[in-house]
Amino acid sequence: MPRTRSPAGLATRRGSPYDGAMLDHLIKNNRAWAERMVAADAGFFKRLEHQQAPQYLWIGCSDSRVPANEIVDLDPGELFVHRNVANLAPPQDANYLSVLQFAVDVLKVKHIMVVGHYGCGGVAAAVDGKRRGLVDHWLHPIREVHHAHRQELDAIPDTRARLNRLCELNVKRQVVNVASDVFVQEAWARGQELSVHGWVYSLANGLVTDLNVTVSQPDRT
Ligand SMILES: [Zn+2]
């Protein structure tokens, strides 16, 4: 990408003559996008300014190829989103828990989707035996899933297929985490309508597959 010349005056405004210029194309994109939205619906931003009432919470991977709103073709305001490396829902993570509580208690979303994706670098990194530092700790829950399903996974000869299966198993495990969380359990106890779903997304064709692990009520066993 060419480094464009900085417009006059930018240096004093931004500290470096290049800081702003490097992102000019994004600001330009933003202006064009906002214009298109208003052209299609004049009151769009005015409405969103005063209220957000999404029905869905998306818990997905940070991977740039898995953009939440685009995949399910929803506008701003329609999807509450939490993304992290390898779409984890760890019960001790304050960031995820804050999002979950706000979505369930305040926004009262009706559906939570944990969305993994085939070819997830986070899932692969969890089990390749290489050390990377902090992220190794973050990815530890995936190694636990790997350990719990060792027999099934070892029986899959193809590495890619084996990792893709681990992506699915990870989603299922995170669905259990979300569904067993106290905020979700309390919502069900007070009669709130709420379902937790497990999906996996394919980078190869853009399609989501429902893993059929939906939980819509407390486990009474
Ligand atoms: Zn990923």
Side-chain angles (χ1 to χ4, degrees), residues 61-63 65-66 84-87 117 119-123:
C61 184
S62 297
D63 192 306
R65 299 166 295 178
V66 194
N84 58 44
V85 174
N87 44 271
H117 67 100
C120 182
V123 168

Side-chain angles (χ1 to χ4, degrees), residues 85-211:
V85 174
N87 44 271
L88 296 179
Q92 73 283 11
D93 178 47
N95 185 1
Y96 145 69
L97 289 174
S98 303
V99 171
L100 180 68
Q101 184 179 22
F102 189 76
V104 171
D105 289 357
V106 181
L107 297 173
K108 296 194 164 38
V109 298
K110 292 196 166 46
H111 301 275
I112 300 172
M113 302 90 100
V114 176
V115 188
H117 67 100
Y118 296 129
C120 182
V123 168
V127 293
D128 69 2
K130 292 181 191 156
R131 292 227 177 139
R132 293 177 175 80
L134 181 60
V135 77
D136 295 327
H137 293 272
W138 175 254
L139 296 174
H140 183 73
I142 297 173
R143 281 194 292 282
E144 288 184 331
V145 172
H146 184 251
H147 184 71
H149 297 270
R150 190 92 207 204
Q151 251 188 332
E152 180 195 340
L153 291 164
D154 283 352
I156 304 172
D158 181 62
T159 305
R160 204 164 134 178
R162 191 164 58 245
L163 287 173
N164 283 346
R165 179 60 183 149
L166 183 55
C167 289
E168 294 178 350
L169 292 169
N170 178 43
V171 168
K172 289 183 181 184
R173 176 65 228 189
Q174 304 316 312
V175 166
V176 171
N177 282 2
V178 176
S180 59
D181 192 273
V182 66
F183 301 132
V184 172
Q185 293 283 321
E186 282 175 359
W188 280 329
R190 60 179 177 256
Q192 196 171 318
E193 185 192 333
L194 179 63
S195 297
V196 186
H197 312 263
W199 290 0
V200 65
Y201 174 74
S202 169
L203 299 172
N205 60 16
L207 300 179
V208 155
T209 301
D210 187 340
L211 294 174

